[in-house]
Amino acid sequence: MLSKKTQYALKALGYLAGKYGQGPVLISEIAKNKKIPIKFLETILLELKQNNVLESKKGKGGGYYLIESPKKTTLAQAIRLVGGPIALLPCVSINFYEKCKDCNEATCGLNKAMLQTRDATLKILEKKTLAELIDG
Amino acid sequence: MLSKKTQYALKALGYLAGKYGQGPVLISEIAKNKKIPIKFLETILLELKQNNVLESKKGKGGGYYLIESPKKTTLAQAIRLVGGPIALLPCVSINFYEKCKDCNEATCGLNKAMLQTRDATLKILEKKTLAELIDG
DNA sequence: TAATAGTCTATTGTTTAAGTAGACTTATTT
DNA sequence: AAATAAGTCTACTTAAACAATAGACTATTA
């Protein structure tokens, strides 16, 4: 299961995708429409900015907005940016890999099964982009 | 990512699958071979017993063992037993379903994407059984 | 009846999620 | 150019879930 943080990030990115090209969007607007705790959302958006997905503008008329077209960012990229692993186990994760203490990956049946599910999941998440998150 | 508890449960079940039909296996033996904190493992095995997957015997010569043949339990069933959701979001989970606060599932793109990944994952995990977790 | 091994209760530590307070920046208005 | 309003940024606190540990208790076998 994705963490709340990751879920909120995806929701927020979807909202911003729908407003792409229309200038900065207020944090409070995103929070209200997507039912996200505003202070938690602040830290998430800030992190996305530091990862060069969002840009922000301060002061009156400010807010957050996508740097690139929504079609340029895949869901797999978005999930990884906010620290959400996609694989079900560390030993089959690409970005959060950790070796198992107890098993030989070449012969471990669990490893094999989880590798297959990871690949199936990635196949989907690497094709979908933020544009697909726009409502309607 | 599956919780530690779920990971440990799968490892332990895999170990017991390899010893199926050979009588009770000590908690300590499983813990040692699978590098699982023994006290944590105790609670996990007890839960699996209460869910009618394992049986136990107390006293000397005691231990835990699988009730049914390893081929009878799928990985999807095993994961769910110890409380591990398979879907990436609550709104696409079969056993841990929760409605989103902010979205209409019929039109939500995120819901659609996550449904697809859930189906792809389930297709694999419902075919694999505990027998596949046996090493070698 | 002594030793073995599972069962139960309680407690501690760690991470994640959420909420609070306030400082800092920028843009507008006058 | 100064005041103010609108917004982001930083640091700290609280609450809940998850992971791990410790020890007493109960049942079984030899």
Side-chain angles (χ1 to χ4, degrees), chain A residues 1, chain B residues 80 84-99 105 111 114-115 118 122:
Chain A
M1 195 80 84
Chain B
R80 284 171 175 149
I86 290 168
L88 291 179
L89 291 182
C91 65
V92 296
S93 174
I94 296 175
N95 294 268
F96 299 84
Y97 176 79
E98 260 178 69
K99 193 176 170 343
E105 283 178 23
N111 184 279
M114 292 304 167
L115 258 181
R118 184 206 68 186
L122 274 185

Side-chain angles (χ1 to χ4, degrees), chain A residues 7-64:
Chain A
Q7 293 176 38
Y8 290 155
L10 289 173
K11 295 276 183 180
L13 287 170
Y15 190 81
L16 290 173
K19 303 267 179 178
Y20 181 65
Q22 298 175 36
V25 180
L26 294 185
I27 294 180
S28 56
E29 180 184 337
I30 304 171
K32 192 184 166 195
N33 280 284
K34 290 297 172 181
K35 303 266 185 356
I36 302 172
I38 190 163
K39 282 296 180 178
F40 198 6
L41 182 56
E42 280 184 16
T43 66
I44 294 167
L45 294 177
L46 193 56
E47 194 175 336
L48 287 169
K49 180 187 174 182
Q50 285 159 354
N51 281 310
N52 302 309
V53 174
L54 299 181
E55 191 46 86
S56 70
K57 206 181 160 199
K58 287 187 182 180
K60 196 170 184 177
Y64 278 95

Side-chain angles (χ1 to χ4, degrees), chain B residues 26-27 42 46 49 56 58-59 63-64:
Chain B
L26 294 185
I27 296 180
E42 280 181 15
L46 195 55
K49 180 187 174 182
S56 70
K58 286 186 181 179
Y64 277 97

Side-chain angles (χ1 to χ4, degrees), chain B residues 11-98:
Chain B
K11 294 277 185 180
L13 287 170
Y15 190 82
L16 289 173
K19 303 269 180 177
Y20 180 65
Q22 298 175 39
V25 180
L26 294 185
I27 296 180
S28 57
E29 179 184 337
I30 304 171
K32 191 183 165 195
N33 279 283
K34 290 297 172 182
K35 304 268 184 357
I36 302 172
I38 190 164
K39 283 294 182 176
F40 199 6
L41 181 58
E42 280 181 15
T43 67
I44 294 167
L45 294 177
L46 195 55
E47 194 174 336
L48 287 170
K49 180 187 174 182
Q50 286 158 356
N51 281 309
N52 303 308
V53 174
L54 299 181
E55 191 44 86
S56 70
K57 208 182 157 198
K58 286 186 181 179
K60 193 169 186 177
Y64 277 97
Y65 52 96
L66 281 173
I67 293 179
E68 289 190 308
S69 159
K71 290 187 184 166
K72 292 246 175 102
T73 304
T74 68
L75 295 193
Q77 290 173 326
I79 290 171
R80 284 171 175 149
L81 275 177
V82 285
I86 290 168
L88 291 179
L89 291 182
C91 65
V92 296
S93 174
I94 296 175
N95 294 268
F96 299 84
Y97 176 79
E98 260 178 69

Side-chain angles (χ1 to χ4, degrees), chain A:
Chain A
M1 195 80 84
L2 297 176
S3 68
K4 286 278 182 197
K5 184 179 167 188
T6 306
Q7 293 176 38
Y8 290 155
L10 289 173
K11 295 276 183 180
L13 287 170
Y15 190 81
L16 290 173
K19 303 267 179 178
Y20 181 65
Q22 298 175 36
V25 180
L26 294 185
I27 294 180
S28 56
E29 180 184 337
I30 304 171
K32 192 184 166 195
N33 280 284
K34 290 297 172 181
K35 303 266 185 356
I36 302 172
I38 190 163
K39 282 296 180 178
F40 198 6
L41 182 56
E42 280 184 16
T43 66
I44 294 167
L45 294 177
L46 193 56
E47 194 175 336
L48 287 169
K49 180 187 174 182
Q50 285 159 354
N51 281 310
N52 302 309
V53 174
L54 299 181
E55 191 46 86
S56 70
K57 206 181 160 199
K58 287 187 182 180
K60 196 170 184 177
Y64 278 95
Y65 52 96
L66 282 173
I67 293 179
E68 289 190 308
S69 159
K71 291 186 184 167
K72 293 247 176 99
T73 305
T74 68
L75 294 193
Q77 289 172 327
I79 290 171
R80 283 170 177 149
L81 275 177
V82 286
I86 290 169
L88 291 179
L89 290 183
C91 65
V92 296
S93 172
I94 298 175
N95 293 269
F96 299 84
Y97 176 80
E98 259 178 70
K99 197 183 167 337
C100 275
K101 282 174 292 186
D102 67 294
C103 84
N104 177 347
E105 283 178 21
T107 59
C108 177
L110 186 56
N111 185 278
K112 219 169 290 179
M114 293 305 167
L115 258 181
Q116 283 179 38
T117 73
R118 184 206 67 187
D119 287 340
T121 301
L122 274 185
K123 198 172 168 187
I124 296 166
L125 295 183
E126 282 180 343
K127 265 187 194 139
K128 303 250 178 196
T129 71
L130 297 183
E132 259 104 342
L133 300 186
I134 301 172
D135 281 359

